[in-house]
Amino acid sequence: MDKETILQAVCQYYQEHHQREPYQPGGRIPYAGRVYDETELCSLVDAALDFWLTAGDYTKRFEQGLADYLGIPFCSLVCSGSAANLLAVAALTSPLLGERRLKRGDEVLTVAAGFPTTVAPIVQCGLVPVFVDVKMPDCNVDVSLLEQAKSERTRAVILAHTLGCPFDLNAVKAFCEHYGLWLIEDNCDALGAEYQLGGVWRKTGTIGDIGTSSFYPAHHITTGEGGAVYTGNPLLHRIIRSLRDWGRDCVCGGGQDNACGRRFTGQFGTLPEGYDHKYVYSHLGYNLKATDMQAAIGAAQLEKLPEFVARRRENWAFLRRALEPLEGRLLFPEPGPESSPSWFGFLMTVRPGSAVSRDELASHLEAHNIQTRPLFAGNLTRHPCFQSLREGVDYRIAGTLEVADQVMNNSFWVGVYPGMEREMLEEMSKRILEKMHHK
């Protein structure tokens, strides 16, 4: 049996076993989910039949495709979005960066109202997160607080674009450039979002020094598990690849020998001259690569990404119009004219004094089979993982986290993923309206 026959059978299998059933009233409305067809399934099987189990041709294709989509030269596929953030922060500690290298005890500005793996790498790399509060209604960083949060030890900023709505990149970028700080954009919830900087529209994740993405099934595209780190800086790219691939100095790919032309001719550290370059390590790295089978799924998903982003925007706009009567009771994000979000979810914050609490509204939706999610950690410093850390030593809070606490208590979101059908959006808006109007 040849490959073409097998792949034809896979297409038939998809039609018989993977076709989604249309939404039925009362059915489950998830906050996110995989959207795929026979293309992804065939791509996955094609890679499996080649049995190149580590990174290979599909990985190169995916990395180049994502780089082209973002308009940036360098992209590295990794095993998760969390690994992407770890690599991004770890890269800034590389000795190859000279005086700009982040050292143990240096401070990194971030926010507490987000996902923990935006912050965890800061601590894991021996650095000190400094928490700046967010602002309503988009729950992005309050840029007016950055100046007072900075100290002589501040060396970098890492921020996520909250639920696909870009933070104020004009202000943050100017702040970082003024003080010579590194900027990492956690773009895991915002792939496809755009921001106008200096009159030019650019994809988020490409405006800072390093951007990261996640391809977990809930995200804009999926490889199952997976993520990416991207940059326009060739030195940072070299460091990221080294750290991803065990910390090795050699740039040869898997299965390559002496493509770099330096295999037995270099002098590295105090090793013997000519020591095999494939086993020379310039960093204390990791193995954070993804497999070619994951990349094969991603390559097929990339073709659908523009449509996925458009659908997310359409779904968000539908809910925003439908819930307009609740503007006096709920706060909704308000993107500025320089921002074009790629929405991850539909964020709502119950206004103070409302007769219906966030928990009551979310419980009402869950009771009607509609999944809800809080805005991730709400206030990360209140979680058990931070109880063993020392405020003022292991982390620092600049000012208060009053708004982060409001997010923790009053904010939540529902889905807008591309698999949402009109009937699902109508059901969500109906249930929100009925609960908020009930009291």
Side-chain angles (χ1 to χ4, degrees):
M1 181 182 295
D2 59 19
K3 182 182 285 188
E4 183 177 349
T5 303
I6 293 171
L7 296 181
Q8 287 175 352
V10 170
C11 288
Q12 183 177 346
Y13 184 87
Y14 168 84
Q15 299 293 335
E16 294 175 357
H17 298 281
H18 282 265
Q19 288 275 36
R20 287 181 50 183
E21 294 293 331
Y23 171 74
Q24 298 296 326
R28 188 67 164 151
I29 301 178
Y31 78 94
R34 307 163 300 168
V35 178
Y36 64 99
D37 58 27
E38 64 272 17
T39 309
E40 283 84 351
L41 214 57
C42 287
S43 190
L44 172 61
V45 171
D46 184 57
L49 291 173
D50 288 342
F51 211 64
W52 187 270
L53 300 180
T54 59
D57 289 341
Y58 270 113
T59 297
K60 295 175 185 175
R61 175 177 161 187
F62 177 79
E63 289 175 337
Q64 187 61 58
L66 182 58
D68 290 345
Y69 174 81
L70 293 168
I72 201 165
F74 306 115
C75 175
S76 298
L77 179 64
V78 296
C79 57
S80 72
S82 301
N85 283 344
L86 175 59
L87 278 181
V89 176
L92 300 185
T93 69
S94 170
L96 299 182
L97 296 176
E99 290 300 313
R100 293 202 68 193
R101 172 192 184 186
L102 269 58
K103 299 177 182 177
R104 185 171 293 275
D106 284 343
E107 292 184 345
V108 181
L109 304 188
T110 189
V111 298
F115 201 74
T117 55
T118 306
V119 176
I122 303 172
V123 178
Q124 290 160 348
C125 290
L127 308 169
V128 178
V130 176
F131 292 106
V132 182
D133 212 351
V134 295
K135 60 179 176 60
M136 291 293 184
D138 63 4
C139 300
N140 274 311
V141 63
D142 185 341
V143 295
S144 70
L145 303 176
L146 291 174
E147 194 73 36
Q148 68 187 60
K150 180 188 171 295
S151 77
E152 292 182 356
R153 297 168 62 194
T154 304
R155 303 293 302 280
V157 176
I158 177 170
L159 297 167
H161 300 290
T162 302
L163 288 184
C165 185
F167 58 78
D168 187 345
L169 274 160
N170 276 307
V172 174
K173 179 76 168 174
F175 173 78
C176 289
E177 288 180 345
H178 180 74
Y179 290 108
L181 309 177
W182 296 106
L183 173 58
I184 297 173
E185 292 178 75
D186 182 335
N187 201 41
C188 290
D189 291 349
L191 185 60
E194 296 178 315
Y195 196 90
Q196 190 176 34
L197 193 73
V200 178
W201 285 95
R202 296 170 59 181
K203 293 286 196 303
T204 56
T206 69
I207 294 169
D209 297 287
I210 304 175
T212 61
S213 280
S214 171
F215 308 128
Y216 193 70
H219 287 270
H220 289 64
I221 59 173
T222 186
T223 59
E225 302 287 354
V229 190
Y230 30 93
T231 182
N233 184 317
L235 177 57
L236 288 176
H237 175 62
R238 174 186 167 191
I239 294 167
I240 289 163
R241 283 293 175 97
S242 174
L243 286 165
R244 183 194 69 174
D245 300 355
W246 304 285
R248 65 181 185 174
D249 194 75
C250 185
V251 297
C252 293
Q256 285 185 324
D257 288 333
N258 208 32
C260 63
R262 306 172 65 194
R263 187 171 179 193
F264 300 112
T265 59
Q267 173 66 61
F268 306 98
T270 58
L271 290 167
E273 185 175 355
Y275 193 82
D276 191 339
H277 192 216
K278 288 182 71 69
Y279 290 90
V280 172
Y281 301 94
S282 52
H283 296 94
L284 295 172
Y286 315 90
N287 178 9
L288 299 178
K289 297 189 302 299
T291 69
D292 227 36
M293 290 174 285
Q294 291 169 280
I297 300 169
Q301 287 268 291
L302 267 180
E303 301 296 322
K304 299 178 171 69
L305 180 54
E307 177 190 348
F308 286 171
V309 173
R311 287 289 305 277
R312 286 178 175 274
R313 288 171 176 160
E314 291 169 5
N315 293 342
W316 190 93
F318 178 96
L319 290 176
R320 183 65 182 82
R321 288 191 302 269
L323 299 178
E324 190 170 354
L326 298 178
E327 283 186 333
R329 303 185 182 191
L330 297 174
L331 277 168
F332 306 111
E334 298 174 355
E338 72 289 339
S339 172
S340 180
S342 178
W343 297 104
F344 186 55
F346 189 88
L347 178 66
M348 294 168 276
T349 301
V350 177
R351 290 181 182 270
S354 171
V356 178
S357 71
R358 187 274 308 275
D359 290 349
E360 288 173 330
L361 179 54
S363 295
H364 176 74
L365 296 178
E366 294 282 354
H368 286 87
N369 249 349
I370 299 167
Q371 274 191 323
T372 67
R373 290 292 185 268
L375 188 54
F376 307 124
N379 181 345
L380 185 58
T381 66
R382 295 187 178 276
H383 286 254
C385 60
F386 264 77
Q387 302 311 301
S388 62
L389 302 181
R390 298 162 294 170
E391 184 177 349
V393 180
D394 297 314
Y395 69 98
R396 181 163 67 86
I397 297 174
T400 71
L401 297 178
E402 179 181 353
V403 182
D405 281 340
Q406 293 176 27
V407 170
M408 178 181 65
N409 291 315
N410 300 322
S411 300
F412 77 106
W413 56 281
V414 294
V416 294
Y417 78 105
M420 285 283 182
E421 300 170 35
R422 178 58 61 92
E423 292 79 8
M424 297 161 79
L425 296 166
E426 290 172 347
E427 174 70 4
M428 284 196 294
S429 56
K430 170 187 170 183
R431 297 302 180 183
I432 295 169
L433 285 162
E434 73 180 10
K435 183 62 176 179
M436 295 305 291
H437 282 150
H438 182 65
K439 291 187 178 180

